[in-house]
Structures are given as structure tokens and as C-alpha cells.
Amino acid sequence: MTTRWTAVRVLRDRTAGRCLTAVVVSGFGTSTLWLASGVWVKDLTGSDGLAALCMLAMWAPTLAGPLLGTLADRHRRRPLLVALSLFMAVLLLTLCAVDGPGELWLLYAVLFVYGAAGTVHDAAESALVAGAVDRSLLGDFNGLRMTADEGMKLLAPLAGAGLYTAYGGPGVAVLDAASFLAAALVYLSLRVREERPAPAREGGRSATAEGVRHLWGDVWLRPLVLAGGVTMLCAGVSGALTYAVVEDLGHSPAYAGVLYAVQGAGSVTVGLLSGPALRRLGARRFAAYGISLLAVAVALRAVPYDPAAWACSAAVGVGLPAALIAVLTGVQQRTPGPLLGRVTATAGTLVHTPNVIGLAAGAVLVELLGHRAQLVALGVVLGVTAAVLLGQSPASADRTAARSASDASPA
């Protein structure tokens, strides 16, 4: 039984363990900068709007995911990851020059490049892992990565806040630069064999479209990715209602931190269990069950009762990551290596962009409609999404894919 435990299975694999180490190291630095950049701008300008632009600057490049992912397919992934990590380590050090409102353009520019490099980095890393790690370990790796990411969200902001208080924004930038340097060293230590990518037969736009066509043409993968996008849209709207839920419970806004901590604990748990669950259920059923749990949890957030709120937060923490882990694992398992960077980045855009749209929509709707009715409606939408995903069995999807192979192939 021990060999089936996620951490043991991944860490016993030398390549998987080192890739995970690089993710944890660079993710720690990213989480600290994510918090500190907004605080930094707020201190320099006193403007909430300008502080919010930091998040927009980091997120905006993901809209170009299909194009940026093409870069990950035109180069060997390990050298690309090393180069990106070293580039970001040097770029972040330029933030030491920011000491007043007049240099904010530099901070925004660095954050924008940070987001673009991160999109390429994630695509290249996913492709490297899919090619270097045993396929049976992909679910375990992705789950453990989710656990690490959630752990960083709990620990890194506290470290970032303390470092910012002691040394200001430049201190946080130096820490993030050091984390990228450490990640580059870890990637250098990997022993993987990669074939040099074949010369591009098509221009940039056609090459990007090839990845989109593959994703859309896979009748097994397409519903999974679309379900992930709908799930993240609903999660965004639900997240925007958090403070209304807290107020309905009769607590101060700070109580939201308690609910987020409980949610994080749920995410850590599902990350540890996702590998065995994916092997037993498959990606589509694992995602559908997670979305079903999320549907119930979101709807029951309308109940103004503390124990119910804690249980729902824990269930959200389990259900939402299950869908994300399933999407990434499904993409890795069903995409040819030469296309994996583009397809991963395209799937990332389709899944994560709706979350930002949902947050914006929820911020508007919470002022117009009661949060309880919205939560129940979101639960219904999520329930229908899970039912649709379960409606077509994997076997029938594969038969359909075989019949429509010519439609899925790039023209």
C-alpha cells in the first residue's frame, strides 16, 4: 500500500521529485511577490486601483496562452526552463530601482513580462513532466503539485508580508529572484533525454492554430476542458460572494481568512489523494465527481450557519482542485509531445480566463441580487455541468474519436 501513496510514488521517481522541487521553490517566490506588489504600489501611491493593476498585469498575458505555448514546442523544454528561470532572476533584480511613483512603470512592465514568462514556463514544464515522468505518475505529480501550490498560498504570503515590512519591495524581489535561480539549478540537475524539435513547417499563427485544433478535435478532451472553464467561471462568481456570506454569518470581514484556510486544507487533502483516485476513476469521472461535490458545497453556502460554512469551504477545497488536476492530467495523457506546450497553454487559457470573468461578474451581481439566490443558481449550473460530463462514457467518446479522426486532424 505504501507504494500507492502519492508523495512516495512521486519522490521515488528522481525526475518527478526534482521537477516538483523546482515548482515548490519558484512557486514560493511567486506567491510572495503576488502579495507584496499590490502592497508596494498601495504604499507608494495610496491608490487601491493602481494596486489592483498589479494582478491584472500578471494575469493579462495568459490570454495569449495559445501563442505563448507555441514557444514551448519550438525548443527543448529543459534548456528553455533553465533559460526562463535565469532570465526572470535577472529581470526581478531591476525592481530594486523602484523607490517612488515615478518608477511604477518599471514594476508593471516586469509583472507583465513575469506573467508572459510564467505562461511559457508552465507549458514547457507540463510538457517536460509528461515526457520524462512515467504516465502512471502524472496524476500523482499533478495532485502533489496542487498540494504544494496550496501550501505556498498559506505560507508564502506571510513570509512575503514579513519580508516586505523589514526590507520593502526590493527585498521581496531579491527573494523571488533567488527562488528562480534555485529553480534553474534544479532544472540543470535533471537527467532527461529530449529530441530536438523538428523545424516548424508552418508560421506562428498556423502553428498556434494547430494546438487549438487538436484540443477542439479531441471529443474526449474537449468536454473535460470546457467543463473546467464553466467550473472556474462559477467558482469566480462564488468567490466574489465570500464577504456577503461572511456578513450573513454575522462575522467581520476578517472571518473570510478562516474560511479560506479551511478551503486550503481541503485542497491539500485532495492533492494527496488524486493519484490513486485518477487511476481508479479516470480523469473525466474524477472531474465530474469533484464538480458534483463543488455544486453541493456552493449551493449550501447560502445556509447562514457556521459549521455548514466550514464544511462547504472544505468541500470547495476538495471539489475545485479535483477538476483542475483532471484537466491537466487529461491534456498530458492525450496530447502528442510536439503539441503539448501549445495545447497545455490553450487549455490553461480556456479554464482560467473564465475565473477572472466570474470574479468581475460576481463583484457586480453581489450589489444587485441576493447572494443566496446566486449561490443556489451556481450550484444548479455546476450540477448540470457534472451531469453532462458524466453523460458520455469514456468508451463511447473514444469510439467517436476514432470515427472522426479526419475531422480532428489539422487541415
mmCIF file of all heavy atoms in Angstrom, residues 40 59 104 123 128 132 168 171 179 213 252 274 282 380:
data_model
loop_
_atom_site.group_PDB
_atom_site.id
_atom_site.type_symbol
_atom_site.label_atom_id
_atom_site.label_comp_id
_atom_site.label_asym_id
_atom_site.label_seq_id
_atom_site.Cartn_x
_atom_site.Cartn_y
_atom_site.Cartn_z
ATOM 1 N N TRP A 40 3.035 47.144 -2.171
ATOM 2 C CA TRP A 40 4.087 48.084 -2.573
ATOM 3 C C TRP A 40 3.484 49.286 -3.289
ATOM 4 O O TRP A 40 3.767 50.447 -2.962
ATOM 5 C CB TRP A 40 5.047 47.340 -3.494
ATOM 6 C CG TRP A 40 6.381 47.978 -3.716
ATOM 7 C CD1 TRP A 40 6.810 49.196 -3.271
ATOM 8 C CD2 TRP A 40 7.473 47.403 -4.443
ATOM 9 N NE1 TRP A 40 8.104 49.425 -3.673
ATOM 10 C CE2 TRP A 40 8.530 48.346 -4.392
ATOM 11 C CE3 TRP A 40 7.654 46.208 -5.130
ATOM 12 C CZ2 TRP A 40 9.755 48.110 -5.033
ATOM 13 C CZ3 TRP A 40 8.877 45.978 -5.743
ATOM 14 C CH2 TRP A 40 9.905 46.913 -5.697
ATOM 15 N N TRP A 59 -1.770 38.754 -14.861
ATOM 16 C CA TRP A 59 -2.732 37.817 -15.420
ATOM 17 C C TRP A 59 -2.938 38.000 -16.920
ATOM 18 O O TRP A 59 -3.160 37.027 -17.651
ATOM 19 C CB TRP A 59 -4.080 37.985 -14.712
ATOM 20 C CG TRP A 59 -5.186 37.241 -15.371
ATOM 21 C CD1 TRP A 59 -5.494 35.917 -15.233
ATOM 22 C CD2 TRP A 59 -6.122 37.767 -16.322
ATOM 23 N NE1 TRP A 59 -6.562 35.592 -16.028
ATOM 24 C CE2 TRP A 59 -6.977 36.711 -16.707
ATOM 25 C CE3 TRP A 59 -6.319 39.037 -16.868
ATOM 26 C CZ2 TRP A 59 -8.009 36.886 -17.620
ATOM 27 C CZ3 TRP A 59 -7.348 39.218 -17.779
ATOM 28 C CH2 TRP A 59 -8.185 38.145 -18.145
ATOM 29 N N LEU A 104 6.921 53.326 -11.180
ATOM 30 C CA LEU A 104 5.901 52.272 -11.208
ATOM 31 C C LEU A 104 5.781 51.610 -12.569
ATOM 32 O O LEU A 104 5.423 50.432 -12.673
ATOM 33 C CB LEU A 104 4.539 52.842 -10.801
ATOM 34 C CG LEU A 104 4.306 53.041 -9.300
ATOM 35 C CD1 LEU A 104 2.889 53.509 -9.050
ATOM 36 C CD2 LEU A 104 4.596 51.760 -8.540
ATOM 37 N N ALA A 123 3.732 25.858 -19.570
ATOM 38 C CA ALA A 123 3.536 24.977 -20.720
ATOM 39 C C ALA A 123 4.744 24.068 -20.918
ATOM 40 O O ALA A 123 4.607 22.859 -21.167
ATOM 41 C CB ALA A 123 3.285 25.808 -21.978
ATOM 42 N N LEU A 128 7.524 18.842 -20.284
ATOM 43 C CA LEU A 128 8.701 18.124 -19.789
ATOM 44 C C LEU A 128 8.290 16.992 -18.854
ATOM 45 O O LEU A 128 8.775 15.861 -18.968
ATOM 46 C CB LEU A 128 9.627 19.097 -19.054
ATOM 47 C CG LEU A 128 10.884 18.477 -18.432
ATOM 48 C CD1 LEU A 128 11.846 18.030 -19.529
ATOM 49 C CD2 LEU A 128 11.575 19.467 -17.495
ATOM 50 N N ALA A 132 8.960 13.051 -19.328
ATOM 51 C CA ALA A 132 10.026 12.493 -18.505
ATOM 52 C C ALA A 132 9.529 11.611 -17.365
ATOM 53 O O ALA A 132 10.271 10.773 -16.870
ATOM 54 C CB ALA A 132 10.876 13.630 -17.924
ATOM 55 N N GLY A 168 11.130 46.080 2.557
ATOM 56 C CA GLY A 168 10.433 46.739 1.468
ATOM 57 C C GLY A 168 10.321 45.862 0.239
ATOM 58 O O GLY A 168 10.736 44.694 0.221
ATOM 59 N N GLY A 171 13.362 43.881 -1.246
ATOM 60 C CA GLY A 171 13.724 42.664 -0.531
ATOM 61 C C GLY A 171 12.937 41.462 -1.031
ATOM 62 O O GLY A 171 13.482 40.366 -1.203
ATOM 63 N N SER A 179 14.704 32.549 -5.738
ATOM 64 C CA SER A 179 13.913 31.324 -5.943
ATOM 65 C C SER A 179 14.005 30.854 -7.397
ATOM 66 O O SER A 179 14.072 29.649 -7.655
ATOM 67 C CB SER A 179 12.452 31.569 -5.547
ATOM 68 O OG SER A 179 11.763 32.346 -6.507
ATOM 69 N N ARG A 213 -6.708 23.330 -32.720
ATOM 70 C CA ARG A 213 -7.473 22.323 -33.465
ATOM 71 C C ARG A 213 -7.386 20.957 -32.796
ATOM 72 O O ARG A 213 -8.364 20.210 -32.752
ATOM 73 C CB ARG A 213 -6.984 22.232 -34.914
ATOM 74 C CG ARG A 213 -7.393 23.412 -35.778
ATOM 75 C CD ARG A 213 -7.235 23.067 -37.259
ATOM 76 N NE ARG A 213 -5.859 22.772 -37.609
ATOM 77 C CZ ARG A 213 -4.989 23.681 -38.049
ATOM 78 N NH1 ARG A 213 -5.350 24.955 -38.162
ATOM 79 N NH2 ARG A 213 -3.755 23.336 -38.373
ATOM 80 N N SER A 252 -17.100 39.604 11.130
ATOM 81 C CA SER A 252 -16.367 40.671 10.451
ATOM 82 C C SER A 252 -15.721 40.130 9.188
ATOM 83 O O SER A 252 -15.550 38.910 9.040
ATOM 84 C CB SER A 252 -15.295 41.243 11.378
ATOM 85 O OG SER A 252 -14.265 40.283 11.584
ATOM 86 N N SER A 274 -5.283 12.430 -5.122
ATOM 87 C CA SER A 274 -5.739 12.470 -6.510
ATOM 88 C C SER A 274 -5.129 11.377 -7.375
ATOM 89 O O SER A 274 -5.790 10.867 -8.292
ATOM 90 C CB SER A 274 -5.430 13.838 -7.120
ATOM 91 O OG SER A 274 -4.030 14.077 -7.122
ATOM 92 N N GLY A 282 -10.439 7.490 -13.593
ATOM 93 C CA GLY A 282 -10.192 8.167 -14.859
ATOM 94 C C GLY A 282 -10.425 9.665 -14.697
ATOM 95 O O GLY A 282 -11.114 10.113 -13.771
ATOM 96 N N VAL A 380 -26.767 24.812 -9.206
ATOM 97 C CA VAL A 380 -27.507 24.127 -10.268
ATOM 98 C C VAL A 380 -26.658 24.044 -11.537
ATOM 99 O O VAL A 380 -26.582 22.994 -12.191
ATOM 100 C CB VAL A 380 -28.834 24.857 -10.547
ATOM 101 C CG1 VAL A 380 -29.506 24.281 -11.796
ATOM 102 C CG2 VAL A 380 -29.764 24.749 -9.342
#
